[in-house]
Amino acid sequence: MTTFAAVLRGASVLLMLGGLAPAQDAMAILKSVGETYSALKSYEFQGATSAVTQTGKAASTTEETFTVVFSAPDQFLVEFRYPGQGSWTRASNGKTTTEIRTATKEFVQQPTTQFDIRILDNSPIGLFYSMDTGNRSASVEGSEKVTVDGQEFDCWIIQTDRDMGMLPDGVKRVPTKLWVDKARFLVLRQVSGTESVATGSKATKNTR
């Protein structure tokens, strides 16, 4: 089993929540999540990731931290930090885009293009912009408090079966669970994964 755990800690977040009504069902909650992230004009999210890979009785663990920053319309930073292996940073000030890989001493700068902003799509929060699309099914599984930086947030637990790209033969995706802050419609935790179709001897469980 593979476990990927990351808790997003939002700071300096400008919320544009005008007109959002309380969500009554899972699809409505997911729609509000997508609208919330799409309305953000600036934000900074930080998180930590712990990945445990298990096949049979053998297991290994890796860890990383990340930061995602955005300021409209085109300034951003996406950084992953790997203990003992350096960091990978991609950032743009709207005019110049920089990529730095400290492990390989790679440093690249080039004029920003209209496509560079798509780097955010592959960041840990990129999926949340379109949470109301690609869901084959969704349900409210209950409520739970999530603690972030010592503060508790009351969250809905939403389970959704999403279309999220191709998988290798013999592997299937398990439903995704999201812990959605009831007050702000921000995703504070995400659990997803895959498993072997034939034996289930190797699986992934991703908690973000």
Side-chain angles (χ1 to χ4, degrees):
M1 178 181 294
T2 301
T3 301
F4 170 84
V7 177
L8 297 178
R9 299 189 297 274
S12 303
V13 181
L14 175 61
L15 296 178
M16 305 289 289
L17 298 180
L20 284 180
Q24 300 300 316
D25 57 42
M27 288 298 188
I29 293 171
L30 294 176
K31 183 176 186 294
S32 293
V33 169
E35 290 174 346
T36 296
Y37 280 88
S38 296
L40 295 175
K41 302 303 181 184
S42 66
Y43 58 70
E44 178 179 348
F45 291 97
Q46 298 184 36
T49 302
S50 176
V52 180
T53 302
Q54 183 171 337
T55 302
K57 295 183 178 180
S60 61
T61 302
T62 59
E63 296 183 350
E64 68 182 45
T65 58
F66 60 81
T67 300
V68 183
V69 181
F70 170 69
S71 179
D74 53 9
Q75 299 182 52
F76 65 86
L77 177 144
V78 179
E79 182 175 80
F80 295 92
R81 297 174 291 277
Y82 313 98
Q85 301 181 43
S87 61
W88 179 27
T89 304
R90 290 163 293 173
S92 175
N93 61 6
K95 297 180 179 179
T96 302
T97 298
T98 303
E99 180 173 2
I100 304 172
R101 295 178 184 263
T102 59
T104 58
K105 302 186 185 304
E106 178 182 352
F107 181 89
V108 178
Q109 277 191 327
Q110 56 189 7
T112 297
T113 72
Q114 61 180 324
F115 303 108
D116 289 351
I117 195 68
R118 295 181 182 175
I119 290 173
L120 289 171
D121 295 342
N122 295 317
S123 76
I125 69 163
L127 177 67
F128 304 148
Y129 282 87
S130 56
M131 284 308 306
D132 58 330
T133 62
N135 297 294
R136 288 188 287 263
S137 64
S139 60
V140 179
E141 298 296 302
S143 297
E144 185 178 356
K145 293 185 183 298
V146 173
T147 301
V148 180
D149 287 341
Q151 184 175 355
E152 284 191 342
F153 298 91
D154 193 17
C155 297
W156 285 292
I157 304 174
I158 308 298
Q159 180 168 292
T160 174
D161 185 10
R162 294 179 56 81
D163 292 317
M164 297 178 64
M166 299 293 292
L167 290 172
D169 291 340
V171 177
K172 69 176 182 179
R173 201 177 305 279
V174 298
T176 296
K177 285 189 177 182
L178 304 167
W179 279 252
V180 178
D181 182 350
K182 293 181 179 181
R184 300 176 298 169
F185 292 100
L186 297 176
V187 178
L188 301 185
R189 181 178 297 153
Q190 174 184 326
V191 177
S192 60
T194 61
E195 64 183 12
S196 171
V197 174
T199 65
S201 61
K202 184 172 182 178
T204 67
K205 182 181 179 183
N206 305 318
T207 305
R208 171 174 295 167

